[in-house]
């Protein structure tokens, strides 16, 4: 469920993504299928996805989901398991820009 919430937080950038094609890659096949359009049976998973669809419609962007085997997803897994200092080091060493999710979370 956390990965679905992360997708929605990323979608809060909706206006910045207007008319764009977004690629979501993940190692959770359930989330990949949900983002691709297969509705989850769990109502708690359906609601965040409805929000995602609403944001997509409002800002006219599309998302394609793809599955990455877990052993190819080491960086993303590490980013969810290490402390803040290590996240900054990983981001710098992989040419990533950290975004502040707090404003989107407070909306």
């Amino acid at each position: 469920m956390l990965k679905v919430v992360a997708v929605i937080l990323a979608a809060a950038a909706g206006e910045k993504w207007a008319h764009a094609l977004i690629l979501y890659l993940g190692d959770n096949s359930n989330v990949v299928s949900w983002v691709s359009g297969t509705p989850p049976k769990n109502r708690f998973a359906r609601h965040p996805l409805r929000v995602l669809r609403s944001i997509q419609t409002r800002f006219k962007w599309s998302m394609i989901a793809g599955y990455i085997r877990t052993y190819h997803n080491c960086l993303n897994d590490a980013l969810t398991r290490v402390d803040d200092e290590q996240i900054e080091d990983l981001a710098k060493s992989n040419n990533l820009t950290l975004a502040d999710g707090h404003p989107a979370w407070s909306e």
Side-chain angles (χ1 to χ4, degrees), residues 34-96:
W34 298 342
V35 170
S36 297
T38 304
K41 294 178 182 174
N42 181 309
R43 66 183 173 140
F44 295 107
R46 280 193 308 264
H47 179 71
L49 288 162
R50 285 183 186 134
V51 173
L52 176 65
R53 299 285 182 246
S54 174
I55 294 168
Q56 284 179 281
T57 303
R58 179 177 176 197
F59 295 107
K60 298 177 175 69
W61 54 268
S62 301
M63 181 179 285
I64 295 175
Y67 177 77
I68 299 178
R69 293 190 55 104
T70 302
Y71 57 82
H72 290 300
N73 199 21
C74 297
L75 175 61
N76 290 336
D77 279 346
L79 289 172
T80 63
R81 292 179 170 83
V82 298
D83 61 36
D84 290 346
E85 284 182 15
Q86 290 173 308
I87 287 176
E88 290 176 13
D89 292 341
L90 281 170
K92 286 179 186 174
S93 66
N94 288 280
N95 278 340
L96 298 175

